[in-house]
């Protein structure tokens, strides 16, 4: 199958390794990757800020470029929810309404795609560490993806998953919320990190690089004994 | 100071207060555990949410019809129904009642709508003596602080703080015993029930079909407020309608489960009028004030109309990470947390309160937990959109326009990312200093390190020359007019004579708001309710298990003689000196002969009743599913007998034990539907409160003990 890969801006610039790992996984499973290099952002930042005209303007090139794709895999639950769920609302009553609905039907968040579209859970990975998993809110509640990541991690050799309390509570990133209300965002992140540390896990895994960027920022600033890693990188680990 | 400035200031303060953070998070853990237990007993919680949400949606879509039906039915039994367009009119109505009735002392059970209209301030300024009697509200009143959480008003306070407060205001001795603190409040407030001239209550539901108001509470303070003062006033938002009494069988357990994690709240009382002919107590006058106060404006917003489904359970606050970190007072609103952030801009102005919709990570925990499926977090997004559309911020609007036009332009994106990478080492020099434009991030967080090679660079290096991207034209993107969330149809009665009374104005507002909103009527059938509510198998063992959980006593006796002996034993065991009762087949049969008795059948002296050790009553039915007793003013000896004495004893026959709540409400409907008593109450365990550090203390205002004797 030819898979169109949507790489969000923060994966591109801050954690490209997550994207590279996804490419390597999908290619290893025998698929061809189509990467739209010209796309930088799904338009979620202006959408969440309430500037929907601007969000539509940012989103139109995405809609156009992905029109003919067979399947679109998004390297983030958050941007995944934007393409799959929120485009339909954003373009409701606009000429692109039908196009947004058609795109929604073929969009997949990465872990969902591997488990539920490709039917694969064992990627031959080995990661002998104690870990805990953070559910990104958009993946969890907009896309209803509680299971796929855990199904994938279950098959990773040597990996011990310890669920933290409040695994489902928000890390506090929330896009521009993180800088518009930094004190609340920081407090939420601290609560999250404390829950993660209570499990005595070495790694905090997530399918969302944006959550990890925020949490890693806190962990580094506060010199906490915890490391963050994207799930795709875990799934390409060999030891 | 603007609402936003105040909000930012308080949020800054409380997010740094680690004692506050721990207290709120730990308090919520008690709620999560209790809620998981109660929700786990539902056979299908998700389906229950669907039924509840459909019921509310259908009810709201014919709100005017339900309100008129309520008014007719309530008025027929002597209730006075008032319509208030706004806060000012609601206060005027209440003041005129108080003046006419020559009221001086007022007691209030928990009334969030009164916070909305700032009633206490106005009453106190006018010289009335007003006392809140919900424990949490009482504490907040002593602190001169609004409720911190609309279900748990003082959850931010420690036992020590409450002890200090009582020492200072009530001159009591210091104590670190939550039971003693609760009893201090009980003793202090007890006399006020007996001497107040008027009681003001809120309401959880307006039951249109029977013309009733349903009040949910744990402490018994609302029951006492509705039992003893001569005048009762209920202030309720117009959106609280349920079409039928049978809907309570679904909504009461859902409200309790979502609200406090209880299977059912202690007292769920449906009031159907002032004292009726033949009844021994209850107010001479009962006034219900139906409050619009911008609710019809929200009703007109088809996109956010479902916010009016809210049953004020407070679950969205309990799961909200924002609420847990900034606390309830930071919001500066009557209704805190996610639902407050949705509705406050509609009630008090979008531009002044839009910051609350911004102060959310849009995580959606609120929506996932809401028992009536309000799309809470998406409405925060809708408020943001509406605010930006109505009055865009020039700077932010400009920034997003630039962003939108460049982010998907490869050349500009590339130059931008290269510049950013170049600037990153320089940024380190000013990071987290006042010069740093990114200090909102860097004050607390390390700057994300930009990768030496971006994904795109990696990709093109790998695929150099392999393929060229399709060159989609990105020029000429047009803007289209946005779709409004509001209904734009014309007025139904354009050209008609202008409405005169507030009642007509509110009803016209509702009708206009609801153009095109009609959904078919919906009633969850008994079978549908039974399929979602907790399962019932063996009646007596299940009632016994529930009674034990509720810390109620339950005795099953072989026959009437054994039941009479049991009563004598209870009298001896608890050392009763005098009990109160009403005459009836069952009470007459089991009444201990050796004991002085206050026979309240034809009335009672309230001070004498208060001094009795126990109140013995009959009931309509027992409910195995929840361990509840359901009784009416007619079957249970009036309003006060079952709540004023410190021990309530219920005598019932085996055949009165019904399986579940749907059966119980069907039963009372059949038995009393032709001529409703003024009170129907579902009693589930002895009176209790969790207002002090969420520690359950029995006997907050009502009976400390509940004993059910079955034969």
């Amino acid at each position: 199958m030819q898979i169109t890969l949507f790489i969000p801006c923060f994966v591109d610039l801050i954690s490209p390794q997550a994207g590279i790992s996804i490419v390597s996984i999908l290619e290893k499973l025998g698929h061809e990757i189509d990467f739209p290099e010209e796309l930088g952002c799904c338009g979620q930042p202006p959408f969440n800020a309430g500037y929907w005209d601007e969000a539509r303007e940012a989103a139109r090139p995405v809609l156009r470029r992905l029109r003919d794709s067979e399947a679109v895999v998004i390297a983030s639950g958050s941007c995944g929810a934007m393409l799959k769920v929120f485009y339909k609302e954003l373009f409701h009553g606009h000429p692109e309404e039908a196009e947004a609905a058609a795109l929604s039907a073929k969009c997949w968040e990465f872990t969902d795609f591997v488990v539920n579209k490709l039917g694969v859970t064992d990627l031959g990975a080995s990661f002998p560490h104690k870990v805990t998993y953070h559910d990104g809110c958009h993946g969890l509640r907009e896309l209803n993806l509680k299971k796929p990541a855990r199904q994938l991690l279950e098959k990773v050799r040597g990996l011990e998953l310890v669920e933290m309390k409040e695994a489902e509570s928000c890390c506090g990133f929330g896009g521009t919320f993180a800088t518009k209300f930094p004190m609340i965002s920081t407090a939420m992140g601290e609560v999250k990190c404390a829950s993660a540390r209570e499990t005595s896990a070495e790694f905090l895994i997530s399918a969302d690089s944006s959550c990890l960027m925020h949490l890693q920022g806190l962990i580094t600033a506060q010199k906490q004994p915890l490391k963050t890693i994207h799930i795709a990188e875990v799934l390409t680990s060999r030891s | 100071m603007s609402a936003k400035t105040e909000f930012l200031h308080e949020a800054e303060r409380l997010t740094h207060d680690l004692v506050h953070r721990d207290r709120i998070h730990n308090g919520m853990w008690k709620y999560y555990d209790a809620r998981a237990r109660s929700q786990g007993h539902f056979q299908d919680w998700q389906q229950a949410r669907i039924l509840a949400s459909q019921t509310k949606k259908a009810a709201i879509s014919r709100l005017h019809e339900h309100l008129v039906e309520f008014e007719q039915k309530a008025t027929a039994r002597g209730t006075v129904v008032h319509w208030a367009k706004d806060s000012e009119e609601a206060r005027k109505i209440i003041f005129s009642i108080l003046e006419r009735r020559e009221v001086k002392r007022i007691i209030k059970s928990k009334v969030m709508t009164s916070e909305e209209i700032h009633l206490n301030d106005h009453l106190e300024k006018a010289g009335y003596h007003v006392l809140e009697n919900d424990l949490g509200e009482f504490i907040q009143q002593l602190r001169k602080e609004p409720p911190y959480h609309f279900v748990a008003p003082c959850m931010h306070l420690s036992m020590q703080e409450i002890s200090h407060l009582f020492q200072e205001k009530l001159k009591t001795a210091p104590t670190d015993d939550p039971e003693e603190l609760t009893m201090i409040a009980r003793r202090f407030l007890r006399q006020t029930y007996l001497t107040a001239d008027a009681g003001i209550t809120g309401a959880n539901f307006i039951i249109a079909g029977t013309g009733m108001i349903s009040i949910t509470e744990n402490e018994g303070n609302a029951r006492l407020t509705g039992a003893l003062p001569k005048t009762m006033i209920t202030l309720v938002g117009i959106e609280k309608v349920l079409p039928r009494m049978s809907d309570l069988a679904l909504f009461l357990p859902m409200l309790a489960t979502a609200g406090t994690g209880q299977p059912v709240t202690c007292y769920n009382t449906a009031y159907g009028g002032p004292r009726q002919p033949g009844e021994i107590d209850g107010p001479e006058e009962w006034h219900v004030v139906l409050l619009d106060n911008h609710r019809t404006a929200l009703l007109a917003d088809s996109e956010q109309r479902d916010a009016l489904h809210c049953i004020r359970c407070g679950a969205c606050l309990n799961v909200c990470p924002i609420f847990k970190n900034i606390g309830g007072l930071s919001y500066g609103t009557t209704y805190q947390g996610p639902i407050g952030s949705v509705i406050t801009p509609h009630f008090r102005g979008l531009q002044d309160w839009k910051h609350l919709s911004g102060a959310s990570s849009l995580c959606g925990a609120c929506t996932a937990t809401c028992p009536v499926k309000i799309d809470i977090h998406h409405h925060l997004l809708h408020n943001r959109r509406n605010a930006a559309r109505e009055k865009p911020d020039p700077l932010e609007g400009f920034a997003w326009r630039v962003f939108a036009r460049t982010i998907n332009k490869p050349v500009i994106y590339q130059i931008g990312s290269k510049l950013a990478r170049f600037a990153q080492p320089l940024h380190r020099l000013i990071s987290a200093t006042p010069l740093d434009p990114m200090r909102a991030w860097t004050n607390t967080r390390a700057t994300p390190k930009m990768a030496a090679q971006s994904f795109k660079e990696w990709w093109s290096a790998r695929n150099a020359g392999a393929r060229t991207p399709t060159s989609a034209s990105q020029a000429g993107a047009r803007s289209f007019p946005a779709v409004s969330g509001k209904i734009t149809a014309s007025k139904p009665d354009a050209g008609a004579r202008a409405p005169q009374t507030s009642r007509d104005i509110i009803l016209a507002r509702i009708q206009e708001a609801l153009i095109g909103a009609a959904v078919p009527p919906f009633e969850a059938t008994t079978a549908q309710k039974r399929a979602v509510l907790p399962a019932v198998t063996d009646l007596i063992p299940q009632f016994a298990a529930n009674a034990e959980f509720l810390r109620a006593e339950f005795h099953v006796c072989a026959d009437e003689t054994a039941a009479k002996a049991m009563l004598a034993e209870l009298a001896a065991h608890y050392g009763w000196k005098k009990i109160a009762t009403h005459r009836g087949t069952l009470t007459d049969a089991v009444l201990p002969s050796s004991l002085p008795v206050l026979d309240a059948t034809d009335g009672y002296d309230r001070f004498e009743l208060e001094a009795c050790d126990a109140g013995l009553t009959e009931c309509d039915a027992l409910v195995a599913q929840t361990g509840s007793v359901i009784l009416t003013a007619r079957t249970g000896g009036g309003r006060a007998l079952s709540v004023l004495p410190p021990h309530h004893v219920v005598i019932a026959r085996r055949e009165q034990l019904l399986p579940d709540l749907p059966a119980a409400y069907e039963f009372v409907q059949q038995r009393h539907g032709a001529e409703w008593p003024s009170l129907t109450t579902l009693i589930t365990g002895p009176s209790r409160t969790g207002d002090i550090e969420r520690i359950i203390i029995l006997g907050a205002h009502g009976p400390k003990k509940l004993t059910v004797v079955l034969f």
Side-chain angles (χ1 to χ4, degrees):
Chain A
M1 179 182 351
Q2 194 193 54
I3 299 164
T4 303
L5 183 61
F6 185 88
I7 294 289
C9 52
F10 48 86
V11 173
D12 178 43
L13 299 172
I14 314 280
S15 39
Q17 200 53 46
I20 295 169
S21 301
I22 290 173
V23 171
S24 117
I25 289 166
L26 296 177
E27 285 184 342
K28 193 170 277 174
L29 291 170
H31 302 285
E32 191 192 331
I33 303 293
D34 157 41
F35 175 59
E37 288 173 76
E38 68 272 35
L39 299 182
C41 176
C42 61
Q44 188 174 181
F47 175 72
N48 281 354
Y51 290 80
W52 287 21
D53 286 336
E54 288 73 11
R56 273 185 285 271
E57 194 171 345
R60 277 191 194 98
V62 180
L63 268 185
R64 259 196 306 272
R65 171 60 177 81
L66 303 181
R67 187 183 294 153
D68 300 320
S69 299
E70 190 184 346
V72 179
V73 168
I74 301 115
S76 149
S78 186
C79 306
M82 184 67 194
L83 266 67
K84 197 167 177 66
V85 178
F86 294 117
Y87 271 18
K88 287 193 281 187
E89 186 169 359
L90 182 62
F91 287 106
H92 177 72
H94 289 261
E96 299 90 338
E97 188 172 348
E99 215 175 314
L103 174 61
S104 168
K106 59 185 180 185
C107 278
W108 300 80
E109 183 275 334
F110 162 66
T111 60
D112 188 25
F113 184 76
V114 174
V115 175
N116 295 319
K117 175 75 175 169
L118 301 181
V120 178
T121 49
D122 189 347
L123 293 163
S126 147
F127 193 72
H129 301 279
K130 195 175 191 179
V131 305
T132 190
Y133 187 79
H134 164 63
D135 292 285
C137 297
H138 274 131
L140 180 69
R141 283 180 278 262
E142 303 294 348
L143 302 176
N144 202 17
L145 301 177
K146 178 82 181 170
K147 283 185 191 152
R150 287 172 177 78
Q151 285 170 285
L152 291 165
L153 292 176
E154 206 171 275
K155 295 289 165 66
V156 174
R157 279 95 185 139
L159 180 143
E160 185 196 347
L161 174 67
V162 188
E163 295 286 358
M164 61 181 136
K165 71 177 189 195
E166 293 196 78
E168 297 187 354
S169 78
C170 179
C171 69
F173 174 63
T176 50
F177 167 77
T179 51
K180 284 183 176 171
F181 300 91
M183 63 300 208
I184 310 176
S185 168
T186 298
M188 287 162 70
E190 285 173 354
V191 172
K192 191 86 213 183
C193 288
S195 299
R197 279 204 318 279
E198 256 175 49
T199 64
S200 70
E202 207 180 321
F203 288 92
L204 174 63
I205 303 178
S206 179
D208 270 277
S209 302
S210 49
C211 304
L212 295 181
M213 174 174 85
H214 160 68
L215 292 173
Q216 187 62 57
L218 273 178
I219 289 167
T220 307
Q222 300 185 355
K223 299 187 176 60
Q224 298 188 29
L226 192 64
K227 286 170 268 190
T228 63
I229 186 168
H230 190 274
I231 188 165
E233 293 176 67
V234 173
L235 297 174
T236 50
S237 278
R238 303 287 185 271
S239 65
Chain B
M1 212 173 357
S2 78
K4 183 181 179 182
T5 315
E6 225 162 299
F7 173 79
L8 290 173
H9 181 263
E10 280 303 287
E12 184 72 43
R13 189 172 69 78
L14 279 158
T15 47
H16 286 94
D17 182 344
L18 299 185
V19 175
H20 174 268
R21 184 188 293 182
D22 280 352
R23 187 172 296 154
I24 302 306
H25 280 81
N26 292 339
M28 289 309 184
W29 274 104
K30 292 183 189 167
Y31 161 80
Y32 300 149
D33 290 344
R35 173 161 181 176
R37 182 189 177 281
S38 292
Q39 194 173 310
H41 285 170
F42 272 73
Q43 294 173 79
D44 192 341
W45 174 258
Q46 293 308 329
Q47 182 60 24
R49 293 175 74 210
I50 293 171
L51 295 176
S53 133
Q54 284 178 327
T55 304
K56 274 305 277 190
K57 185 173 183 173
I60 291 288
S61 88
R62 42 183 67 68
L63 183 57
H64 48 301
E65 293 168 22
H66 289 311
L67 290 174
V68 169
E69 186 184 12
F70 165 78
E71 184 188 39
Q72 282 168 353
K73 299 253 164 80
T75 309
R77 276 196 304 270
T79 307
V80 187
V81 177
H82 307 261
W83 302 70
K85 295 186 294 297
D86 49 34
S87 307
E88 197 189 333
E89 189 171 18
R91 289 193 303 262
K92 251 188 211 156
I93 292 167
I94 293 170
F95 269 89
S96 79
I97 300 166
L98 297 174
E99 277 159 31
R100 191 174 49 75
R101 299 285 294 166
E102 296 177 349
V103 168
K104 289 188 180 61
R105 282 158 307 198
I106 302 165
I107 50 174
K108 281 179 73 210
S109 63
K110 202 165 178 341
V111 196
M112 288 312 295
T113 38
S114 79
E115 300 288 334
E116 198 181 314
I117 67 166
H118 304 288
L119 183 62
N120 283 13
D121 287 351
H122 286 84
L123 288 174
E124 279 163 10
K125 271 183 205 137
Y128 289 100
H129 185 259
V130 193
L131 210 50
E132 295 284 346
N133 56 29
D134 168 86
L135 178 58
E137 296 278 348
F138 173 64
I139 288 168
Q140 290 304 92
Q141 188 186 24
L142 291 181
R143 283 171 64 82
K144 298 192 191 318
E145 196 174 68
Y148 177 94
H149 177 305
F150 59 74
V151 173
C154 66
M155 69 169 295
H156 60 310
L157 300 179
S158 71
M159 231 175 302
Q160 289 71 28
E161 284 167 302
I162 296 168
S163 173
H164 286 148
L165 179 74
F166 284 1
Q167 263 176 271
E168 185 196 331
K169 305 279 181 180
L170 309 177
K171 313 293 172 212
T172 53
T175 172
D176 55 4
D177 177 4
E179 166 132 26
E180 177 52 23
L181 289 169
T182 306
M183 291 309 126
I184 289 171
R186 179 183 168 113
R187 288 191 293 267
F188 183 84
L189 291 165
R190 203 90 272 252
Q191 291 305 310
T192 68
Y193 294 116
L194 304 173
T195 55
D197 307 309
I200 302 181
T201 77
N204 294 82
F205 302 104
I206 297 168
I207 307 165
T210 56
M212 291 181 187
I213 288 288
S214 177
I215 301 179
T216 293
E217 51 144 355
N218 271 312
E219 298 181 1
N221 60 308
R223 283 201 56 200
L224 289 164
T225 304
L228 298 167
K230 283 183 181 168
T231 304
M232 177 174 172
I233 302 170
T234 298
L235 179 63
V236 55
I238 52 172
E239 82 283 15
K240 295 271 175 112
V241 288
L242 282 181
R244 300 152 292 260
M245 195 183 214
S246 56
D247 293 322
L248 293 177
L250 181 66
F251 278 81
L252 297 180
M254 291 188 75
L255 171 61
T257 298
T260 55
Q262 292 170 275
V264 190
T265 317
C266 243
Y267 301 106
N268 285 289
T269 308
Y271 291 96
R275 178 177 176 175
Q276 298 294 293
E279 289 183 352
I280 56 168
D281 56 6
E284 293 165 358
E285 283 189 19
W286 183 33
H287 298 263
V288 175
V289 184
L290 300 172
L291 180 66
D292 177 351
N293 207 25
H294 307 290
R295 284 164 175 78
T296 45
L298 181 51
L299 189 69
D301 185 339
S302 60
E303 194 173 46
Q304 297 193 40
R305 181 178 296 142
D306 69 348
L308 292 171
H309 297 182
C310 180
I311 54 173
R312 300 283 187 269
C313 68
C316 61
L317 284 65
N318 298 345
V319 300
C320 178
I322 316 292
F323 177 89
K324 287 193 282 180
N325 283 296
I326 66 171
L329 298 172
S330 302
Y331 290 84
T333 58
T334 305
Y335 307 103
Q336 312 79 13
I339 189 67
S341 300
V342 169
I343 63 177
T344 304
H346 293 269
F347 286 11
R348 296 168 70 177
L350 179 58
Q351 294 305 328
D352 287 342
W353 295 92
K354 63 182 178 185
H355 59 279
L356 295 181
S357 297
S360 164
S361 62
L362 301 173
C363 79
C366 45
T367 305
T369 204
C370 176
V372 289
K373 291 174 79 71
I374 301 169
D375 201 4
I376 303 173
H377 74 298
H378 291 152
H379 292 334
L380 297 175
L381 203 50
H382 299 144
N383 280 342
R384 293 182 190 184
R385 178 204 59 201
N386 294 347
R389 186 187 288 162
E390 184 184 280
K391 193 179 166 202
D393 179 84
L395 209 63
E396 191 179 352
F398 174 74
W400 289 126
R401 268 197 302 285
V402 172
F403 177 90
R405 280 166 201 174
T406 56
I407 192 71
N408 286 322
K409 295 262 198 311
V411 178
I412 301 177
Y413 181 93
Q414 255 177 31
I415 295 172
S417 51
K418 288 219 164 77
L419 271 177
R421 195 179 297 150
F422 172 75
Q424 185 148 46
L426 304 174
H427 173 253
R428 236 167 267 150
L429 302 174
I430 54 158
S431 181
T433 68
L435 292 172
D436 182 2
M438 284 170 63
R439 64 184 177 282
W441 180 280
T442 53
N443 272 341
T444 55
R445 287 161 289 212
T447 316
K449 199 169 174 307
M450 294 193 63
Q453 185 186 38
S454 75
F455 179 87
K456 287 180 178 175
E457 288 161 348
W458 170 80
W459 178 266
S460 53
R462 194 180 80 141
N463 302 293
R467 58 176 278 285
T468 47
T470 48
S471 58
S473 161
Q474 288 149 22
R478 277 195 304 132
S479 279
F480 295 95
V483 193
S484 166
K486 304 233 177 189
I487 294 171
T488 49
S490 62
K491 291 185 183 185
D493 53 356
R497 198 168 59 90
Q500 296 297 313
T501 65
S502 295
R503 175 186 187 278
D504 294 341
I505 292 168
I506 293 169
L507 286 172
R509 282 178 185 171
I510 294 172
Q511 272 171 287
E512 189 187 338
L514 285 171
I515 295 164
V519 295
F522 179 81
E523 177 173 5
T525 64
T526 301
Q528 282 176 314
K529 280 179 248 177
R530 289 219 163 106
V532 298
L533 291 171
V536 182
T537 47
D538 295 333
L539 303 193
I540 289 187
Q542 195 149 351
F543 190 92
N546 281 322
E548 190 186 344
F549 173 74
L550 294 163
R551 293 195 257 166
E553 264 182 61
F554 179 48
H555 302 285
V556 183
C557 302
D559 52 23
E560 194 181 298
T561 317
K564 190 176 168 77
M566 175 54 69
L567 258 292
E569 201 183 314
L570 288 171
H573 178 75
Y574 290 112
W576 293 339
K577 293 188 181 64
K578 187 172 185 179
I579 68 168
T581 190
H582 63 104
R583 277 197 304 275
T585 322
L586 298 184
T587 46
D588 288 351
V590 299
L591 197 63
S593 37
S594 57
L595 218 55
V597 169
L598 167 64
D599 181 353
T601 313
D602 301 316
Y604 56 84
D605 175 83
R606 55 181 63 191
F607 293 93
E608 198 184 342
L609 179 61
E610 206 270 332
C612 286
D613 297 306
L616 171 67
T617 75
E618 296 182 358
C619 68
D620 284 282
L622 305 178
V623 188
Q625 186 175 48
T626 52
S628 310
V629 175
I630 190 163
L631 57 80
T632 62
R634 193 175 295 147
T635 51
R639 295 191 183 205
L641 183 58
S642 54
V643 73
L644 191 59
H647 192 155
H648 178 205
V649 183
V650 181
I651 178 76
R653 296 298 311 265
R654 275 167 204 263
E655 56 268 27
Q656 288 183 278
L657 178 55
L658 300 177
D660 54 15
L661 291 172
Y665 279 103
E666 263 165 40
F667 179 78
V668 290
Q669 177 89 39
Q670 274 169 14
R671 188 171 191 186
H672 302 292
E675 199 191 335
W676 277 105
S678 70
L679 166 138
T680 306
T681 187
L682 183 80
I683 300 170
T684 309
S687 149
R688 66 194 58 209
T689 183
D691 276 344
I692 302 174
E693 295 195 8
R694 286 198 191 247
I695 299 166
I696 303 301
I697 303 296
L698 299 186
H701 292 284
K704 204 179 176 65
K705 287 189 193 306
L706 172 67
T707 302
V708 177
V709 178
L710 189 72
F711 74 95

